[in-house]
Amino acid sequence: MPKLVDRDARRRDVVDALFRIVVRDGLQRASLRAVADEAALNIGSVRHYFASQQELMRFAMESMLERVSARLMRRVDAIGGLAGHPQAAQYRLAADLLGELLPLDDLRRAEVTVFLDFTAAARTEPAFADLSRKAATGTRALIHRVLARLADDGSLGPARDVPAETERLAALIDGLGLTAVLHPTVVTPTVCTDTLRAHLAELAAAAPAAA
């Protein structure tokens, strides 16, 4: 009797193998052959699900963006009612949410590493440009949403311009993520968290403290 294969599960296994190769060796080493070996599959099995390396890479990036977005939305829901929280609690919740975009543990380090390699590839590969742009705009939309909620609740300094602060915070998160991946002993998870919290505290400094 032929063995039944869960197609979605097999595709996830292949994507996970791709992620491991990218984190360990870089995106340039993630050929279909290498991914098949990493996933303990024959090359024909991988080609059954992905016709080319480009198709596999797009699926992997889409999967990662969906996974991160789902995790972020769960946290967004958790801070949906910022009103009523003390100002310090609001900013702690905001820091925890935005920390999902930083390499603070093995899972997020792998995600940021794959994202950086993919973004670099998208600079010269038009087939990936839309996903790279989607990630960049999605990050800014999330940050803008968080800052706008803080502003609406009176927890953002009155002189702060939300669009400008969105770009400033996006640049900070991008810079921390890049340096933490390239130099993990210099920019550690603690450094990332402390820097993010210090920046948010600066944004709150001119706002009246919530009761």
Side-chain angles (χ1 to χ4, degrees):
M1 186 173 181
K3 183 180 179 180
L4 296 177
V5 176
D6 184 329
R7 182 180 178 85
D8 290 338
R10 178 58 57 83
R11 285 165 74 92
R12 286 194 299 271
D13 289 343
V14 173
V15 168
D16 288 344
L18 170 68
F19 282 5
R20 291 195 296 272
I21 292 173
V22 174
V23 172
R24 186 178 65 237
D25 303 321
L27 190 63
Q28 71 278 4
R29 300 289 182 87
S31 66
L32 287 182
R33 172 70 64 184
V35 171
D37 290 345
E38 181 72 23
L41 297 170
N42 62 60
I43 187 68
S45 294
V46 174
R47 289 190 183 279
H48 178 71
Y49 298 103
F50 303 100
S52 65
Q53 182 191 32
Q54 185 181 100
E55 183 180 326
L56 169 58
M57 289 168 63
R58 277 194 63 90
F59 182 83
M61 190 61 178
E62 288 169 346
S63 297
M64 189 182 75
L65 291 178
E66 289 172 1
R67 183 169 66 190
V68 174
S69 294
R71 202 166 66 232
L72 288 170
M73 289 313 300
R74 287 195 295 271
R75 286 192 175 270
V76 167
D77 290 341
I79 68 169
L82 286 176
H85 287 290
Q87 187 182 97
Q90 292 180 1
Y91 275 87
R92 185 172 61 251
L93 288 167
D96 288 346
L97 168 64
L98 296 174
E100 291 293 339
L101 301 173
L102 293 170
L104 303 183
D105 54 28
D106 289 343
L107 172 63
R108 284 174 284 185
R109 176 170 295 279
E111 290 171 347
V112 175
T113 301
V114 171
F115 171 74
L116 290 173
D117 269 25
F118 186 89
T119 300
R123 188 182 69 82
T124 54
E125 177 50 74
F128 304 143
D130 61 322
L131 290 178
S132 179
R133 180 177 177 80
K134 178 181 179 181
T137 56
T139 296
R140 282 156 178 77
L142 173 70
I143 294 171
H144 187 280
R145 183 175 179 179
V146 171
L147 293 182
R149 287 188 178 184
L150 291 169
D152 289 344
D153 199 45
S155 295
L156 197 66
R160 301 292 184 182
D161 177 72
V162 170
E165 294 300 343
T166 295
E167 286 303 319
R168 199 159 75 103
L169 185 48
L172 175 68
I173 289 172
D174 286 347
L176 287 172
L178 173 63
T179 311
V181 166
L182 294 178
H183 306 290
T185 60
V186 176
V187 178
T188 64
T190 299
V191 170
C192 286
T193 300
D194 289 349
T195 303
L196 176 59
R197 289 177 177 172
H199 181 83
L200 291 173
E202 177 191 334
L203 294 182

